[in-house]
Structure formats: structure tokens, C-alpha cells
Amino acid sequence: DAGVIQSPRHEVTEMGQEVTLRCKPISGHNSLFWYRQTMMRGLELLIYFNNNVPIDDSGMPEDRFSAKMPNASFSTLKIQPSEPRDSAVYFCASIPGTGGDTQYFGPGTRLTVL
Amino acid sequence: KNQVEQSPQSLIILEGKNCTLQCNYTVSPFSNLRWYKQDTGRGPVSLTIMTFSENTKSNGRYTATLDADTKQSSLHITASQLSDSASYICVVSGYAGNNRKLIWGLGTSLAVNP
């Protein structure tokens, strides 16, 4: 298995631009998580899906952030408009169960907003 | 407030030496505690998981301990290798209402020098 796949690996954009991050979970996993990691705040859960349905989006910082999971093998995290404070590494993770299982993380997308 | 605190923030040791990383938590009610290893530029990878009734769990040269009474955990690395250089993150699973919540520590950055 290729593991969790994320793209792009690096993204540099200018303030105000739209950014879309993509994730393909491990085949057969039915829960997907989006995290943001910074030095100051560590890993923060943004949103998670179970069977393609958003379950908890309380970590989404504001309306500029949105996430979708149109099918079991694909999810996107969109930031519009982007701001410099959004600069971070964004991780996607998946698990086979609905809770308590080990999370399998992708390699992350390093986002820099100038 | 649910919190996970790790110490030290960073650590430098010589190859072959042992070290111990600490994790204190205030998460209640408690479900389980995990240690993850995160190599530079990669997503976290699970090392161990411990439930309330477990005191010690080993994974090769990694040994985790848990004291549920004092709400402390430690990760001991024996005979360190250069490949152990990474960030080690403690994650505690608890509940907020009926929802399971993961509380992530900020991690300990370990550098193993030759």
C-alpha cells in the first residue's frame, strides 16, 4: 500500500490567493483527519470525516477554511483567501475504524503564504 | 482544561546513550496514551499505545511507561542510534461529552550525535 498521499508537498502563494490541498487516504480506511502543525501550537485537528461525512469541524479556524470529501478516496482542504498566518504544515491522516485506532499520516504539505 | 505537557522541549545526546522523555497530562476522562515519532519532513508514526491498566509497553529499543494515578508517562530510548533523531509526540485520548478527543503535546525534539 502506498500509504496516505498528499499533494502538493510544497506550496508557496501570495496573500489573498486560493489554496487547495489534496489527500488520498489509505484504501479501506473510513475516517480521515486534517491537521495543521506549527512550532508554536504543535498539531491541531482541523476537521475529521467518517464515511465521507464531516463529524467534527470545531477546529477549523474560520470561514476562510473549508474541507470536502466527495468520495472515500479523496479529500480537499481549501483556504480562500489565504493569509500569512496560515503558513504551516498541513497533514492528512486516516484510520480504518471510527475512533481509538492508530492514525496513519501522510507526508504533509508545507504551505508558505507571502 | 485538557492539556498534555512534554519535557524537555529539546534534547541532545551521544549515539549509544540512553534517554528518557516525559509526558504529563490532565486529560479526563482518560482513554489511552500514545507516543508518536516524527522524522523531519514526514508525518508522525505511532510507536506505542497504552491503556489505563497498562504500566509498561516496549517496542524494540523504545519502552513507554504509564502512571495513571499521577497522570505521567515516559518514553525511554535505549542505546540510541542516529536514526532516533526526531520529534517525539505524546497524545492522550479522552472524551469531550460523547466525542472522543485527541490532545496532542508539542513534542520533544531529540538529536542523537555521533
Side-chain angles (χ1 to χ4, degrees):
Chain A
D1 197 320
V4 175
I5 299 173
Q6 291 187 247
S7 65
R9 292 296 311 277
H10 302 273
E11 177 78 32
V12 180
T13 190
E14 293 186 345
M15 182 174 62
Q17 296 298 307
E18 177 180 296
V19 175
T20 299
L21 312 182
R22 298 172 175 79
C23 174
K24 176 179 170 54
I26 294 173
S27 178
H29 284 195
N30 57 12
S31 290
L32 182 143
F33 303 77
W34 280 102
Y35 287 90
R36 177 172 65 180
Q37 186 177 40
T38 60
M39 289 291 290
M40 291 298 296
R41 301 172 68 92
L43 272 162
E44 301 174 282
L45 178 66
L46 299 177
I47 185 172
Y48 86 89
F49 295 84
N50 179 244
N51 292 324
N52 312 337
V53 176
I55 302 300
D56 182 359
D57 65 354
S58 59
M60 296 287 264
E62 49 198 272
D63 292 344
R64 297 185 298 106
F65 285 69
S66 63
K68 294 181 179 180
M69 191 164 186
N71 57 63
S73 59
F74 183 66
S75 177
T76 59
L77 178 68
K78 184 178 294 185
I79 308 173
Q80 166 63 18
S82 58
E83 297 182 3
R85 59 192 171 117
D86 301 331
S87 297
V89 181
Y90 291 80
F91 287 101
C92 175
S94 68
I95 62 174
T98 56
D101 295 317
T102 299
Q103 296 191 13
Y104 295 82
F105 283 80
T109 294
R110 180 174 294 277
L111 173 65
T112 302
V113 183
L114 303 174
Chain B
K1 180 180 179 182
N2 288 330
Q3 284 187 316
V4 174
E5 295 185 354
Q6 293 188 242
S7 61
Q9 184 176 4
S10 62
L11 182 62
I12 301 173
I13 62 173
L14 292 176
E15 185 180 13
K17 297 298 185 182
N18 304 334
C19 67
T20 300
L21 314 180
Q22 299 291 342
C23 173
N24 297 339
Y25 62 93
T26 58
V27 178
S28 181
F30 170 86
S31 177
N32 60 59
L33 183 148
R34 297 172 186 268
W35 284 92
Y36 278 82
K37 178 187 179 188
Q38 185 175 18
D39 292 317
T40 301
R42 293 177 171 262
V45 175
S46 179
L47 289 176
T48 65
I49 175 174
M50 303 184 72
T51 59
F52 184 87
S53 60
E54 296 176 299
N55 299 117
T56 303
K57 183 167 284 188
S58 293
N59 178 0
R61 294 179 297 101
Y62 300 101
T63 299
T65 65
L66 174 65
D67 186 332
D69 292 331
T70 61
K71 298 186 178 180
Q72 296 179 325
S73 176
S74 65
L75 181 68
H76 186 74
I77 304 175
T78 303
S80 62
Q81 300 177 358
L82 299 179
S83 60
D84 293 331
S85 296
S87 179
Y88 292 84
I89 307 173
C90 175
V91 187
V92 180
S93 177
Y95 286 91
N98 293 325
N99 295 321
R100 186 189 295 268
K101 289 287 188 180
L102 293 180
I103 313 300
W104 293 78
L106 292 181
T108 292
S109 178
L110 174 65
V112 180
N113 291 339

